[in-house]
Amino acid sequence: YAFKNVPNLKTVYIPQTVITIASSAFIESASVELSVAEGSYGYDYAVANGIKYTVRETVPFVKYTGACGENAKWELYNNGVLKITGTGAMTDYTAAGAPWYEYRNEITKVEIGAGITTVGSFSFYGCLNLKEVVFAEDCALTTINKSAFGLTGITEITIPAAVTTIADYAFYNNASLENVMFAENSKLTSIGKYAFK
């Protein structure tokens, strides 16, 4: 009953980070109109409870973050973009060991920063909704480790020129993968077994 029976209340701005509003919050405040972000909980709330609303553009924000290497970090945004930034190698993981694994179904795009040198084993394994991987221009990436992109929804990928090694099973079991391109002046020397099986 936070805003119950407030007849002169006209508008309430609901931040897109809000994830809970009681169904009785605006009861008997018939003239209220909610300002909600497109696709947010506030939007769903307004629709479900028959409250007037205006829709504003969603601004990406970080939902989850953490470390994924000695000098590397990750940020998962509300729009499904997982950004890997920093320098050096990413940590090697097991099949369900990446720190974002429990959020894997939210990930639709991965952006690998310029300073990352190695994509760790099983980093994005099982991210079935992952459709796009973007590497920073002039990236330092030299190695894509074992099963790094196994079992994803990637449809195409361009391997950066600096990559010298694609390990075993790197893109294993990607039924939707149709195009693999290698950047001009590729330094690739090794593709492991079953890398694209």
Side-chain angles (χ1 to χ4, degrees):
Y1 306 113
F3 299 97
K4 179 182 177 182
N5 195 17
V6 186
N8 295 325
L9 183 62
K10 301 298 181 197
T11 60
V12 175
Y13 179 97
I14 306 294
Q16 63 190 42
T17 53
V18 169
I19 58 170
T20 304
I21 305 172
S23 60
S24 58
F26 295 96
I27 199 164
E28 298 175 21
S29 291
S31 63
V32 71
E33 185 172 300
L34 305 182
S35 171
V36 295
E38 183 179 10
S40 68
Y41 174 85
Y43 173 84
D44 293 341
Y45 172 84
V47 171
N49 290 281
I51 299 173
K52 290 184 288 187
Y53 62 90
T54 56
V55 179
R56 62 181 190 274
E57 188 176 334
T58 301
V59 177
F61 64 89
V62 176
K63 288 179 71 174
Y64 312 104
T65 186
C68 59
E70 190 173 325
N71 296 305
K73 73 173 194 172
W74 64 278
E75 294 177 332
L76 178 57
Y77 289 76
N78 64 311
N79 61 359
V81 176
L82 177 63
K83 293 185 179 182
I84 310 295
T85 58
T87 58
M90 290 174 62
T91 302
D92 286 323
Y93 301 103
T94 58
W100 47 82
Y101 187 78
E102 69 178 289
Y103 317 120
R104 67 191 178 282
N105 293 329
E106 297 180 37
I107 300 169
T108 58
K109 180 180 181 181
V110 169
E111 296 179 1
I112 309 285
I116 301 299
T117 58
T118 302
V119 176
S121 297
F122 292 97
S123 287
F124 308 106
Y125 183 84
C127 294
L128 295 173
N129 296 320
L130 173 58
K131 306 296 183 195
E132 183 180 6
V133 178
V134 176
F135 299 98
E137 196 172 326
D138 298 322
C139 70
L141 188 71
T142 60
T143 307
I144 300 174
N145 271 344
K146 181 180 179 180
S147 297
F149 294 100
L151 196 62
T152 69
I154 297 170
T155 57
E156 66 177 39
I157 192 163
T158 299
I159 308 298
V163 171
T164 60
T165 305
I166 298 175
D168 298 347
Y169 303 96
F171 294 90
Y172 183 77
N173 204 11
N174 281 333
S176 57
L177 183 60
E178 295 179 354
N179 296 304
V180 177
M181 294 153 283
F182 298 90
E184 192 174 349
N185 300 318
S186 174
K187 295 177 176 55
L188 189 67
T189 59
S190 173
I191 298 178
K193 67 180 181 180
Y194 306 124
F196 297 100
K197 183 173 180 180

